[in-house]
Structure formats: structure tokens, C-alpha cells
Amino acid sequence: MRYSKYMGAILGGVTLAIAAVMMANPRGAGEIVRSSEASLNGVAVPESGTVTPGSVLATGEHGSALVQFSPESQINLLEKTSVAFRDDAGRLTAQMSAGTIGVRSLGTEPVLVETPAYQIGPSADAGALYVVAMLSDSTTIVSARRGSVAIVQRSSGQKYVLSEGHYAKLAGDPQAVPPQTAQSGAAGGPPAGLLAAPGALFVIGVGSGAGVAVVLDKTVLAPPAVSPSTP
């Protein structure tokens, strides 16, 4: 009897401890380990802070912000970028409305990016390092730095897999790029063979990263893991 009470007290204590940890670090929460000219839910961030599902993180004209969810899951926002975070059944989603972000998604739970027209994320369990940039002319550029990346048109479900080391330029309005009007292999158009590929309707062009160097070279993608306590 005494033993049962003792075990009950231990189990109760463990349960309370787990609950306390979960309350302190809800699922989908991340730490802003570095930032400048950034705001969280409209309030200026003093270099660091906590991002939870439902939060909106935005950077100013010369701002930036690095959010770490785990050593394998990080998101880096460049200037003039706005992202709303969601946790969908264990899948972290960054809902992007403007700007450029670099994503490190190498863990068992993928980090996805959503724009108004597309959903982007690792295409394989090994994960990926990738960049998403929404340009002023309403097009979107995706760069697969490590691993392959799946690009899904949200309205139709059409999917295109981008190979490591390549970028894709996506139509801002997927319905405005009928494939029959593009010249296969022409400058600025899809390379030969792309027009017959799944998802060709919304892919304007594919190539090496050199074609988008101006946009992507300054993106510091997936820096070493930083502890929030590190000076």
C-alpha cells in the first residue's frame, strides 16, 4: 500500500513536470535567436523572443530574423519579409506574404512554406535546405540548396519536384501561363522537356542558382545552431 502511494506520487510529479514543459514550450514554438528591425505581432522584437503558432513575424527595410525551432529546423527572414506560423498536426508551416526566407528542414517533421499560390517543402524524408523569394512582379523563386524540393500549386494540387542545386521561377498567377505559348528552351522560358512535365503550367523557368544570384546570394541559409542563451 505504501509502495503504491509512493509510485503514485512519483507518476503524478512526472506528469506535472511534463505538463509544465509543454506549457513553457508549446508544440511549434521557436526562438528568435537573432534579429534586427523585426516585429512580432506588431511589437518590436528586442533581438530575441519566442514564436508560437499564430504569431506573425515581420522584418523592416534593412531587417532580418533567425528563428530556431530545433537544431534541424530553422527559418531565416531577410528584409521586408512577413511570415505567419502554423503547426498543422506536427508540420510546421510558414505562411509567407512577402519577402525572402531561407529554410533548414532536416528533421523528421518537415518545415513547409506557403505563399498565396504554392506550398513548398522537402520532397524526401532526408529533408532539404531551400530558399523562397516573392518578387515585386508577383513571381516566386524557389532555390533547392540541398536536397530536392516539392512545389505544389495549391489550387490544383499539381506538383513539381525541383532538383538539388537548381532554382525555379514560378508564375504569380498560375493560370496566366498556358504552356502552349512558351518556346521550349527559349531564353527566359522553360528548358527543353519541361513543358511535358507535371506542374509545367506554373513553372516559368528552371536553371542553376546563378540566374538568381542577386536575390539569393545574400541569404544566410541554415547557420549553425545557436542557443538562445549564447551572447
Side-chain angles (χ1 to χ4, degrees):
M1 185 72 169
R2 188 174 298 174
Y3 176 78
S4 298
K5 289 182 177 179
Y6 178 71
M7 290 301 297
I10 290 177
L11 291 174
V14 170
T15 301
L16 289 173
I18 293 173
V21 169
M22 291 181 67
M23 290 179 66
N25 298 285
R27 194 167 84 172
E31 293 297 320
I32 303 172
V33 296
R34 185 173 66 246
S35 70
S36 64
E37 287 188 37
S39 63
L40 184 62
N41 298 325
V43 178
V45 178
E47 292 191 3
S48 62
T50 300
V51 169
T52 56
S55 297
V56 177
L57 183 61
T59 57
E61 186 173 358
H62 303 289
S64 64
L66 170 63
V67 184
Q68 180 171 291
F69 297 89
S70 75
E72 303 298 342
S73 302
Q74 301 171 357
I75 294 179
N76 191 36
L77 286 72
L78 293 193
E79 68 272 10
K80 295 188 289 187
T81 299
S82 180
V83 174
F85 295 94
R86 300 200 317 264
D87 181 73
D88 301 326
R91 296 194 314 173
L92 175 65
T93 300
Q95 193 168 13
M96 200 178 166
S97 56
T100 303
I101 64 175
V103 180
R104 177 185 179 93
S105 177
L106 301 177
T108 56
E109 297 179 352
V111 180
L112 306 179
V113 172
E114 276 188 4
T115 70
Y118 305 102
Q119 183 182 76
I120 302 132
S123 67
D125 292 340
L129 307 182
Y130 63 98
V131 177
V132 180
M134 295 180 65
L135 306 186
S136 57
D137 64 358
S138 79
T139 60
T140 297
I141 292 176
V142 179
S143 174
R145 298 291 187 84
R146 173 178 165 186
S148 58
V149 174
I151 304 168
V152 178
Q153 183 183 338
R154 296 176 62 188
S155 61
S156 69
Q158 281 193 334
K159 180 178 179 180
Y160 181 80
V161 176
L162 183 65
S163 301
E164 178 177 334
H166 290 76
Y167 76 89
K169 187 175 182 181
L170 314 176
D173 179 3
Q175 304 305 320
V177 189
Q180 64 268 22
T181 64
Q183 293 291 324
S184 179
L194 178 62
L195 298 184
L201 178 64
F202 59 81
V203 179
I204 300 173
V206 175
S208 67
V212 289
V214 173
V215 176
L216 303 179
D217 274 359
K218 60 184 178 178
T219 302
V220 180
L221 182 61
V226 179
S227 169
S229 61
T230 301

